[in-house]
Short mmCIF file of all heavy atoms in Angstrom, two decimals:
data_model
loop_
_atom_site.label_atom_id
_atom_site.label_comp_id
_atom_site.label_asym_id
_atom_site.label_seq_id
_atom_site.Cartn_x
_atom_site.Cartn_y
_atom_site.Cartn_z
N LEU A 1315 94.73 77.74 101.99
CA LEU A 1315 94.24 76.93 100.89
C LEU A 1315 93.02 76.11 101.31
O LEU A 1315 92.04 76.01 100.57
CB LEU A 1315 95.35 76.01 100.38
CG LEU A 1315 96.44 76.67 99.54
CD1 LEU A 1315 97.59 75.70 99.31
CD2 LEU A 1315 95.88 77.14 98.19
N ASP A 1316 93.07 75.52 102.50
CA ASP A 1316 91.93 74.74 102.99
C ASP A 1316 90.69 75.61 103.13
O ASP A 1316 89.58 75.21 102.76
CB ASP A 1316 92.26 74.09 104.34
CG ASP A 1316 93.15 72.87 104.21
OD1 ASP A 1316 93.32 72.38 103.07
OD2 ASP A 1316 93.67 72.40 105.24
N ALA A 1317 90.88 76.83 103.65
CA ALA A 1317 89.74 77.73 103.82
C ALA A 1317 89.18 78.15 102.46
O ALA A 1317 87.95 78.26 102.29
CB ALA A 1317 90.18 78.96 104.62
N ARG A 1318 90.07 78.38 101.48
CA ARG A 1318 89.59 78.78 100.16
C ARG A 1318 88.82 77.64 99.50
O ARG A 1318 87.78 77.87 98.87
CB ARG A 1318 90.76 79.21 99.29
CG ARG A 1318 90.33 79.98 98.03
CD ARG A 1318 89.54 81.21 98.39
NE ARG A 1318 89.37 82.13 97.27
CZ ARG A 1318 88.70 83.26 97.35
NH1 ARG A 1318 88.12 83.60 98.49
NH2 ARG A 1318 88.58 84.06 96.31
N LYS A 1319 89.32 76.43 99.63
CA LYS A 1319 88.61 75.29 99.05
C LYS A 1319 87.24 75.13 99.68
O LYS A 1319 86.27 74.78 98.99
CB LYS A 1319 89.44 74.02 99.21
CG LYS A 1319 90.68 73.97 98.33
CD LYS A 1319 91.35 72.61 98.36
CE LYS A 1319 91.93 72.28 99.71
NZ LYS A 1319 92.63 70.97 99.70
N LYS A 1320 87.14 75.37 100.98
CA LYS A 1320 85.84 75.30 101.65
C LYS A 1320 84.89 76.36 101.09
O LYS A 1320 83.69 76.10 100.88
CB LYS A 1320 85.99 75.47 103.16
CG LYS A 1320 84.68 75.30 103.94
CD LYS A 1320 84.89 75.40 105.42
CE LYS A 1320 83.60 75.08 106.18
NZ LYS A 1320 82.47 75.95 105.80
N GLU A 1321 85.43 77.57 100.85
CA GLU A 1321 84.62 78.62 100.24
C GLU A 1321 84.10 78.19 98.86
O GLU A 1321 82.93 78.41 98.53
CB GLU A 1321 85.42 79.91 100.10
CG GLU A 1321 85.65 80.67 101.39
CD GLU A 1321 86.35 81.99 101.14
OE1 GLU A 1321 87.58 82.00 101.04
OE2 GLU A 1321 85.65 83.02 101.03
N TYR A 1322 84.97 77.58 98.07
CA TYR A 1322 84.55 77.10 96.77
C TYR A 1322 83.41 76.09 96.91
O TYR A 1322 82.39 76.18 96.23
CB TYR A 1322 85.72 76.42 96.04
CG TYR A 1322 86.85 77.33 95.62
CD1 TYR A 1322 88.16 76.86 95.57
CD2 TYR A 1322 86.63 78.66 95.26
CE1 TYR A 1322 89.21 77.66 95.17
CE2 TYR A 1322 87.68 79.47 94.86
CZ TYR A 1322 88.97 78.97 94.82
OH TYR A 1322 90.01 79.77 94.42
N LYS A 1323 83.62 75.11 97.79
CA LYS A 1323 82.61 74.06 97.96
C LYS A 1323 81.30 74.62 98.47
O LYS A 1323 80.22 74.25 98.00
CB LYS A 1323 83.15 73.00 98.93
CG LYS A 1323 84.32 72.20 98.38
CD LYS A 1323 84.90 71.25 99.44
CE LYS A 1323 86.11 70.51 98.91
NZ LYS A 1323 86.73 69.65 99.97
N ASP A 1324 81.37 75.53 99.43
CA ASP A 1324 80.16 76.11 100.01
C ASP A 1324 79.37 76.92 98.98
O ASP A 1324 78.15 77.10 99.12
CB ASP A 1324 80.50 77.01 101.21
CG ASP A 1324 80.97 76.22 102.42
OD1 ASP A 1324 80.80 74.98 102.43
OD2 ASP A 1324 81.52 76.85 103.35
N ASN A 1325 80.07 77.42 97.96
CA ASN A 1325 79.42 78.26 96.95
C ASN A 1325 79.25 77.54 95.61
O ASN A 1325 78.89 78.18 94.61
CB ASN A 1325 80.22 79.54 96.75
CG ASN A 1325 80.10 80.50 97.92
OD1 ASN A 1325 79.17 81.30 97.98
ND2 ASN A 1325 81.02 80.40 98.88
N GLY A 1326 79.49 76.24 95.60
CA GLY A 1326 79.29 75.45 94.40
C GLY A 1326 80.23 75.78 93.27
O GLY A 1326 79.88 75.67 92.08
N ILE A 1327 81.47 76.17 93.59
CA ILE A 1327 82.47 76.54 92.59
C ILE A 1327 83.48 75.40 92.42
O ILE A 1327 84.08 74.94 93.40
CB ILE A 1327 83.20 77.84 93.01
CG1 ILE A 1327 82.21 79.00 93.07
CG2 ILE A 1327 84.34 78.15 92.05
CD1 ILE A 1327 82.79 80.28 93.63
N ASP A 1328 83.65 74.95 91.19
CA ASP A 1328 84.64 73.92 90.91
C ASP A 1328 86.04 74.51 90.96
O ASP A 1328 86.24 75.70 90.69
CB ASP A 1328 84.40 73.32 89.52
CG ASP A 1328 83.14 72.47 89.46
OD1 ASP A 1328 82.72 71.95 90.51
OD2 ASP A 1328 82.57 72.34 88.36
N TYR A 1329 87.03 73.67 91.27
CA TYR A 1329 88.40 74.16 91.30
C TYR A 1329 89.38 73.06 90.93
O TYR A 1329 89.10 71.87 91.08
CB TYR A 1329 88.76 74.73 92.69
CG TYR A 1329 88.67 73.73 93.83
CD1 TYR A 1329 89.79 72.98 94.23
CD2 TYR A 1329 87.48 73.55 94.53
CE1 TYR A 1329 89.71 72.08 95.27
CE2 TYR A 1329 87.40 72.65 95.58
CZ TYR A 1329 88.52 71.92 95.95
OH TYR A 1329 88.43 71.01 96.98
N TYR A 1330 90.52 73.48 90.41
CA TYR A 1330 91.62 72.58 90.08
C TYR A 1330 92.45 72.31 91.34
O TYR A 1330 92.35 73.03 92.34
CB TYR A 1330 92.53 73.20 89.02
CG TYR A 1330 91.88 73.42 87.68
CD1 TYR A 1330 91.41 74.68 87.30
CD2 TYR A 1330 91.74 72.37 86.77
CE1 TYR A 1330 90.82 74.89 86.07
CE2 TYR A 1330 91.14 72.58 85.53
CZ TYR A 1330 90.68 73.84 85.19
OH TYR A 1330 90.09 74.05 83.97
N GLN A 1331 93.26 71.29 91.26
CA GLN A 1331 94.18 70.99 92.36
C GLN A 1331 95.06 72.20 92.64
O GLN A 1331 95.69 72.75 91.73
CB GLN A 1331 95.06 69.80 91.97
CG GLN A 1331 96.13 69.43 93.00
CD GLN A 1331 96.88 68.18 92.58
OE1 GLN A 1331 96.33 67.12 92.44
NE2 GLN A 1331 98.19 68.32 92.37
N PRO A 1332 95.10 72.67 93.88
CA PRO A 1332 95.89 73.87 94.20
C PRO A 1332 97.38 73.68 93.92
O PRO A 1332 97.91 72.57 93.96
CB PRO A 1332 95.64 74.08 95.70
CG PRO A 1332 94.36 73.35 95.98
CD PRO A 1332 94.36 72.18 95.04
N MET A 1333 98.05 74.79 93.68
CA MET A 1333 99.48 74.81 93.43
C MET A 1333 100.15 75.73 94.45
O MET A 1333 99.64 76.83 94.72
CB MET A 1333 99.76 75.28 92.01
CG MET A 1333 101.22 75.30 91.62
SD MET A 1333 101.47 75.38 89.81
CE MET A 1333 100.48 76.79 89.36
N LEU A 1334 101.26 75.30 95.00
CA LEU A 1334 101.98 76.08 96.00
C LEU A 1334 103.45 76.16 95.62
O LEU A 1334 104.08 75.14 95.36
CB LEU A 1334 101.81 75.45 97.38
CG LEU A 1334 102.39 76.18 98.60
CD1 LEU A 1334 101.61 75.82 99.87
CD2 LEU A 1334 103.87 75.87 98.83
N VAL A 1335 103.98 77.38 95.59
CA VAL A 1335 105.40 77.61 95.35
C VAL A 1335 106.05 77.99 96.68
O VAL A 1335 105.64 78.97 97.32
CB VAL A 1335 105.64 78.73 94.32
CG1 VAL A 1335 107.13 79.03 94.19
CG2 VAL A 1335 105.05 78.34 92.97
N LEU A 1336 107.05 77.21 97.10
CA LEU A 1336 107.80 77.50 98.32
C LEU A 1336 109.22 77.87 97.93
O LEU A 1336 109.97 77.05 97.40
CB LEU A 1336 107.80 76.29 99.24
CG LEU A 1336 108.70 76.37 100.48
CD1 LEU A 1336 108.30 77.52 101.39
CD2 LEU A 1336 108.68 75.04 101.25
N MET A 1337 109.59 79.14 98.15
CA MET A 1337 110.91 79.63 97.76
C MET A 1337 111.73 80.01 98.98
O MET A 1337 111.26 80.69 99.88
CB MET A 1337 110.76 80.85 96.85
CG MET A 1337 112.09 81.38 96.27
SD MET A 1337 113.10 82.37 97.42
CE MET A 1337 112.08 83.80 97.64
N SER A 1338 113.00 79.55 99.02
CA SER A 1338 113.91 79.95 100.09
C SER A 1338 115.34 79.93 99.60
O SER A 1338 115.70 79.17 98.69
CB SER A 1338 113.76 79.02 101.31
OG SER A 1338 114.63 79.40 102.34
N ASP A 1339 116.17 80.78 100.25
CA ASP A 1339 117.60 80.79 99.92
C ASP A 1339 118.43 80.22 101.05
O ASP A 1339 119.66 80.25 101.00
CB ASP A 1339 118.06 82.22 99.61
CG ASP A 1339 118.10 83.11 100.85
OD1 ASP A 1339 117.37 82.82 101.82
OD2 ASP A 1339 118.87 84.10 100.85
N GLY A 1340 117.77 79.70 102.10
CA GLY A 1340 118.52 79.19 103.25
C GLY A 1340 117.78 78.08 103.96
O GLY A 1340 117.06 77.30 103.35
N GLY A 1341 117.97 78.00 105.27
CA GLY A 1341 117.32 76.98 106.08
C GLY A 1341 116.31 77.59 107.03
O GLY A 1341 116.39 78.77 107.39
N ALA A 1342 115.35 76.79 107.43
CA ALA A 1342 114.30 77.25 108.33
C ALA A 1342 114.85 77.54 109.71
O ALA A 1342 115.77 76.87 110.19
CB ALA A 1342 113.20 76.21 108.42
N THR A 1343 114.27 78.54 110.38
CA THR A 1343 114.65 78.87 111.75
C THR A 1343 113.56 78.47 112.73
O THR A 1343 113.59 78.88 113.89
CB THR A 1343 114.95 80.38 111.88
OG1 THR A 1343 113.84 81.14 111.38
CG2 THR A 1343 116.20 80.74 111.09
N ASP A 1344 112.59 77.69 112.26
CA ASP A 1344 111.57 77.15 113.16
C ASP A 1344 111.35 75.68 112.82
O ASP A 1344 112.01 75.11 111.95
CB ASP A 1344 110.26 77.96 113.07
CG ASP A 1344 109.59 77.88 111.71
OD1 ASP A 1344 110.23 77.33 110.76
OD2 ASP A 1344 108.45 78.35 111.57
N GLN A 1345 110.41 75.06 113.50
CA GLN A 1345 110.13 73.64 113.30
C GLN A 1345 109.29 73.44 112.04
O GLN A 1345 108.32 74.16 111.81
CB GLN A 1345 109.38 73.10 114.54
CG GLN A 1345 109.28 71.60 114.62
CD GLN A 1345 108.05 71.05 113.92
OE1 GLN A 1345 107.12 71.78 113.63
NE2 GLN A 1345 108.07 69.76 113.62
N THR A 1346 109.68 72.51 111.20
CA THR A 1346 109.00 72.31 109.92
C THR A 1346 108.32 70.95 109.78
O THR A 1346 107.55 70.76 108.83
CB THR A 1346 109.99 72.46 108.74
OG1 THR A 1346 111.00 71.44 108.83
CG2 THR A 1346 110.65 73.84 108.75
N GLN A 1347 108.59 70.02 110.67
CA GLN A 1347 108.15 68.64 110.44
C GLN A 1347 106.63 68.51 110.31
O GLN A 1347 106.13 67.83 109.41
CB GLN A 1347 108.64 67.72 111.56
CG GLN A 1347 108.29 66.25 111.34
CD GLN A 1347 108.91 65.33 112.37
OE1 GLN A 1347 109.74 65.75 113.19
NE2 GLN A 1347 108.53 64.07 112.35
N SER A 1348 105.90 69.19 111.18
CA SER A 1348 104.44 69.06 111.17
C SER A 1348 103.85 69.56 109.86
O SER A 1348 103.05 68.87 109.21
CB SER A 1348 103.84 69.84 112.35
OG SER A 1348 102.43 69.79 112.30
N SER A 1349 104.24 70.78 109.45
CA SER A 1349 103.69 71.32 108.20
C SER A 1349 104.22 70.56 106.99
O SER A 1349 103.50 70.41 105.99
CB SER A 1349 104.01 72.81 108.08
OG SER A 1349 105.40 73.06 108.19
N ALA A 1350 105.47 70.07 107.05
CA ALA A 1350 106.01 69.29 105.94
C ALA A 1350 105.25 67.98 105.77
O ALA A 1350 104.92 67.58 104.64
CB ALA A 1350 107.49 69.01 106.16
#
Side-chain angles (χ1 to χ4, degrees):
L1315 285 170
D1316 283 348
R1318 195 58 167 179
K1319 289 189 294 182
K1320 184 177 186 302
E1321 286 185 276
Y1322 292 149
K1323 292 174 183 176
D1324 289 347
N1325 288 273
I1327 297 173
D1328 290 335
Y1329 61 92
Y1330 296 100
Q1331 177 176 298
M1333 182 163 53
L1334 185 154
V1335 175
L1336 172 61
M1337 185 282 293
S1338 180
D1339 71 335
T1343 54
D1344 65 351
Q1345 193 271 343
T1346 62
Q1347 183 174 352
S1348 176
S1349 55

